[in-house]
């Protein structure tokens, strides 16, 4: 009886994930294009937190070399592409200096692109899992582990984008605050 309850619980968690995933992607897009007031302490916390996250990501990717030979390459390519995309994102950001402070609004198309990349990688993982289940002969690697280079590349792309974007926004807001006289 307890095994049935555990299986039912796992099934309910999976069903909840399937139902909430589109909502979470939509919310990510909505927040990604929202107008925000630039608060210095929050920008600083975000920038430094992302720097720590990238350091941990690179360390874990390097540790992954024991099992996946191209893990560090995928992570590095993703970080590089994300950094370029982050610079492009800052260039496309709308800036507004008001009496209340500095406001910025990221580009909606770029936010949609990032959400679409995440959604595409999720779909690719599902397709790989279905292909694994349907195959007669067992592949050399499990479906969840195959394509790990692309998984790390997507993670690196997102981390690189947000790292560069956070530091550039921090720099730009500080410059605008100085011009504003604060």
């Amino acid at each position: 009886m307890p095994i049935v309850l555990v299986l039912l619980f796992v099934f309910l968690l999976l069903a909840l994930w399937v139902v909430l995933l589109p909502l979470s992607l939509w919310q990510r897009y909505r927040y990604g294009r929202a107008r925000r007031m630039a608060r210095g302490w929050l920008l600083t916390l975000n920038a430094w937190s992302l720097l720590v996250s990238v350091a941990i990501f690179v360390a874990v990717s390097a540790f992954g070399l024991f099992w996946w030979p191209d893990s560090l390459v995928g992570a590095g390519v993703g970080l590089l592409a994300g950094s370029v995309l982050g610079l492009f994102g800052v260039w496309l950001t709308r800036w507004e200096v008001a009496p209340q402070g500095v406001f910025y609004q990221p580009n909606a198309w770029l936010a949609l692109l990032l959400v679409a990349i995440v959604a595409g990688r999720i779909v690719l993982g599902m397709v790989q899992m279905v292909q694994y289940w349907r195959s007669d002969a067992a592949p050399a690697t499990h479906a969840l582990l195959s394509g790990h280079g692309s998984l790390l590349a997507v993670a690196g792309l997102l981390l690189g984008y947000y790292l560069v974007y956070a530091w550039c926004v921090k720099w730009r807001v500080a410059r605008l605050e100085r011009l504003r006289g604060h």
Side-chain angles (χ1 to χ4, degrees):
M1 184 68 177
I3 268 209
V4 172
L5 290 175
V6 170
L7 290 175
L8 180 64
F9 181 71
V10 169
F11 177 74
L12 288 175
L13 280 179
L14 183 62
L16 184 66
W17 178 77
V18 167
V19 169
L20 293 180
L21 182 64
L23 179 64
S24 72
L25 289 173
W26 172 252
Q27 287 294 84
R28 180 66 240 162
Y29 169 68
R30 283 188 56 208
Y31 180 74
R33 65 179 177 90
R35 179 178 178 255
R36 304 171 200 165
M37 181 175 187
R39 291 178 171 80
W41 69 271
L42 192 57
L43 293 173
T44 301
L45 177 68
N46 191 24
W48 284 105
S49 297
L50 280 163
L51 193 61
V52 169
S53 295
V54 167
I56 292 170
F57 175 69
V58 169
V60 168
S61 297
F63 183 69
L65 285 171
F66 289 113
W67 298 278
W68 308 304
D70 60 343
S71 65
L72 202 54
V73 172
V77 167
L79 283 170
L80 183 64
S83 298
V84 170
L85 201 59
L87 289 172
F88 189 62
V90 170
W91 183 66
L92 292 175
T93 298
R94 290 181 33 206
W95 301 92
E96 177 185 340
V97 179
Q100 300 87 1
V102 176
F103 293 85
Y104 66 100
Q105 183 174 6
N107 185 276
W109 289 104
L110 202 51
L112 183 63
L113 174 69
L114 292 173
V115 170
I117 289 171
V118 170
R121 185 58 184 100
I122 291 170
V123 168
L124 177 63
M126 297 289 185
V127 167
Q128 288 175 339
M129 191 168 50
V130 168
Q131 287 176 345
Y132 174 74
W133 284 343
R134 288 188 175 175
S135 68
D136 292 333
T141 60
H142 192 274
L144 296 176
L145 300 178
S146 67
H148 56 275
S150 68
L151 181 64
L152 290 171
V154 169
L157 179 106
L158 294 172
L159 278 170
Y161 171 80
Y162 286 114
L163 176 72
V164 168
Y165 190 81
W167 281 97
C168 288
V169 165
K170 182 180 171 347
W171 173 79
R172 180 80 186 258
V173 166
R175 190 171 143 243
L176 289 172
E177 288 286 348
R178 279 195 306 272
L179 292 175
R180 196 172 145 236
H182 285 85

